[in-house]
């Protein structure tokens, strides 16, 4: 599924709890396995896919927006 692009300066962290995910950020693909964390610029286009189905793959996405000063 597609992630929502966030404002510039946003960081996104994706932690895979179980299974495996394939995450696309712009034109780059990452495989994130259980126990791994991926960090990327949240304003970029990104997509998530459970490689073992969502019933066996669970993950947590954390979005950090840095306030403008």
């Amino acid at each position: 599924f597609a992630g929502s692009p966030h404002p510039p300066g946003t960081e996104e962290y994706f932690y895979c709890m179980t299974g495996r995910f394939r995450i696309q950020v712009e034109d780059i693909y990452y495989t994130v396995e259980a126990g791994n964390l991926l960090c990327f610029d949240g304003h970029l286009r990104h997509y998530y896919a459970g490689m073992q189905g969502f019933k066996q793959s669970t993950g947590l996405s954390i979005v950090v927006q840095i306030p403008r000063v």
Side-chain angles (χ1 to χ4, degrees):
F1 65 92
S4 300
H6 308 288
T10 302
E11 296 176 354
E12 187 155 347
Y13 299 85
F14 184 84
Y15 178 72
C16 180
M17 295 185 289
T18 62
R20 292 186 315 171
F21 283 85
R22 184 167 200 190
I23 299 184
Q24 178 183 353
V25 180
E26 292 290 330
D27 295 326
I28 301 172
Y29 292 86
Y30 301 92
T31 298
V32 184
E33 298 184 352
N36 292 151
L37 176 73
L38 176 68
C39 176
F40 57 91
D41 292 332
H43 71 277
L44 301 175
R45 287 180 300 118
H46 52 282
Y47 305 88
Y48 310 91
M51 296 179 71
Q52 296 173 302
F54 285 107
K55 291 186 179 183
Q56 288 113 12
S57 298
T58 56
L60 174 66
S61 178
I62 300 169
V63 177
V64 178
Q65 290 182 302
I66 300 173
R68 295 183 184 186
V69 180

